[in-house]
Amino acid sequence: MVALWVWGTNMRNLGIVALCAVLGGCSRWLLSIAVVSALLLGASASRASDDEQIAAIYGIGSESCGRFVAAATDNKPGAYRAMTRPEGSYVNDLQRYQQWMMGFVSAINSTRPNLDSQIKVDLAGMDLWLRNWCNQLPTDSVYHGLMIFTTKH
């Protein structure tokens, strides 16, 4: 399910609602326009106060950088720990962050018009960049760190 809600900082005007993947009836062009608009609104807004919400972020990307750094400790950039147990496979929390990061960058790339403007970085490079950024801003969100990452790449 893909759902992205972005609204003005005063919460009066709903700016964009993209539920195209759920409905299955929207074109890729319409979905791309909605995602780009949402990202531009989120990226252009200054840091919102605690009572202002810019975007509803789902998944582990909404967690703090401090939690990400704690999960990354003792793992090389781009690597994670996995175990096979009788009841199934287990991966550590870092893998959940890494999958979210790759999905986020893939979504950004799907909105960029050609391959030359797309982000080309491997998981280890992105992981290391986010670790360095999050070490400086541990109370910020992983989402905000990745927004900064995408504007620099």
Side-chain angles (χ1 to χ4, degrees):
M1 172 192 267
V2 174
L4 179 60
W5 295 74
V6 177
W7 49 85
T9 56
N10 65 7
M11 298 292 289
R12 279 186 301 169
N13 300 320
L14 181 60
I16 296 177
V17 177
L19 294 172
C20 294
V22 173
L23 299 175
C26 298
S27 68
R28 179 184 166 120
W29 178 83
L30 181 59
L31 180 59
S32 295
I33 294 297
V35 170
V36 168
S37 299
L39 291 173
L40 288 175
L41 286 173
S44 66
S46 61
R47 294 288 298 159
S49 66
D50 289 339
D51 62 338
E52 296 177 333
Q53 186 165 359
I54 296 172
I57 305 301
Y58 299 101
I60 203 162
S62 65
E63 292 187 4
S64 73
C65 276
R67 285 185 178 218
F68 168 72
V69 170
T73 302
D74 298 329
N75 291 279
K76 293 179 181 178
Y80 60 89
R81 293 194 178 135
M83 294 187 291
T84 303
R85 302 176 55 126
E87 59 273 8
S89 295
Y90 165 81
V91 293
N92 65 357
D93 282 339
L94 181 58
Q95 196 268 346
R96 294 176 51 223
Y97 285 103
Q98 291 170 341
Q99 291 299 315
W100 197 91
M101 291 161 47
M102 296 301 285
F104 186 86
V105 170
S106 295
I108 297 293
N109 280 346
S110 74
T111 66
R112 294 189 175 178
N114 59 56
L115 290 175
D116 292 334
S117 65
Q118 294 183 5
I119 299 167
K120 296 173 187 72
V121 64
D122 63 5
L123 178 58
M126 184 171 26
D127 186 346
L128 183 58
W129 188 96
L130 189 61
R131 289 177 195 215
N132 290 331
W133 193 85
C134 282
N135 275 320
Q136 296 174 26
L137 300 164
T139 60
D140 217 335
S141 70
V142 171
Y143 161 77
H144 188 244
L146 284 176
M147 284 300 298
I148 301 298
F149 175 83
T150 62
T151 60
K152 294 180 180 273
H153 290 85

